Amino acid sequence: MSPPNHHDIKVLNALIETTLDSADGYREAAGETGDRRFKTLFEQRSFERQGVAGDLKGAVLTLGGEPEDDGSVLAKAHRAFLDVKHALLRDEQAVVNSVENGEDFIKARFEKALDDSDVSDSTRETIRRAYSQVKAGHDQMSALKHSLESQKDASSPLFPN
């Protein structure tokens, strides 16, 4: 028989795994970039995501569950692929693009959890608080990606002056 909070624990643990993947991805992106500003930004975002995961772990413990403590194998394989891609491209835009793709993924996972009608109200509130931080990170990385793209376009000889 499943504990009464089984579904909430399962949803929260999935979010913990995704959030830890995000923290690991930011830490690796910080190591990949040669730009000091990006390195600092990615390190800060990794630290923030560790905090979000910690909050979610606390909620799982409160519900009587065992919190997830590691990211997914699939995410580790994906980051290894991105490491090879970035090594071939040697491009800051590639690092930012991969970070922003990860942000799209984590944002969608949190939105799906918020829309889950089987999640209790108290767990939904925990998810909503975490989502506000995730969404802020998503929006910041999206703006950074678009800013870099517009700078690249503006430096193109085809861009009208």
Side-chain angles (χ1 to χ4, degrees):
M1 183 171 177
S2 295
N5 300 317
H6 174 74
H7 184 71
D8 285 12
I9 293 167
K10 180 180 170 187
V11 170
L12 289 169
N13 271 330
L15 293 176
I16 291 167
E17 184 177 86
T18 302
T19 305
L20 290 172
D21 288 343
S22 176
D24 290 346
Y26 272 115
R27 188 174 47 255
E28 289 184 21
E32 290 291 318
T33 185
D35 186 307
R36 186 78 207 147
R37 294 168 301 163
F38 293 159
K39 181 177 185 67
T40 300
L41 175 64
F42 296 157
E43 288 170 345
Q44 289 170 343
R45 189 66 61 204
S46 176
F47 181 74
E48 178 227 68
R49 292 294 161 85
Q50 287 287 342
V52 169
D55 292 345
L56 296 172
K57 287 179 181 184
V60 169
L61 288 170
T62 298
L63 293 171
E66 183 67 32
E68 189 65 45
D69 66 354
D70 199 11
S72 69
V73 173
L74 181 60
K76 289 176 178 100
H78 179 70
R79 285 193 305 276
F81 166 76
L82 291 176
D83 289 345
V84 171
K85 178 181 172 185
H86 181 259
L88 293 172
L89 294 175
R90 301 267 183 231
D91 182 303
E92 296 303 319
Q93 183 75 49
V95 174
V96 172
N97 286 349
S98 66
V99 166
E100 203 265 341
N101 286 339
E103 284 299 307
D104 288 343
F105 180 77
I106 191 172
K107 180 177 170 264
R109 291 289 301 264
F110 271 83
E111 288 171 348
K112 181 179 177 186
L114 285 170
D115 290 340
D116 186 336
S117 61
D118 294 330
V119 170
S120 71
D121 290 340
S122 62
T123 296
R124 186 177 326 284
E125 185 54 35
T126 298
I127 295 168
R128 190 179 337 275
R129 283 192 308 270
Y131 174 71
S132 69
Q133 292 181 25
V134 167
K135 182 155 179 356
H138 170 274
D139 293 350
Q140 182 183 32
M141 290 303 112
S142 181
L144 178 59
K145 175 185 172 184
H146 295 299
S147 172
L148 289 175
E149 287 171 349
S150 66
Q151 288 173 17
K152 183 178 175 183
D153 291 344
S155 66
S156 168
L158 300 175
F159 191 85
N161 290 326

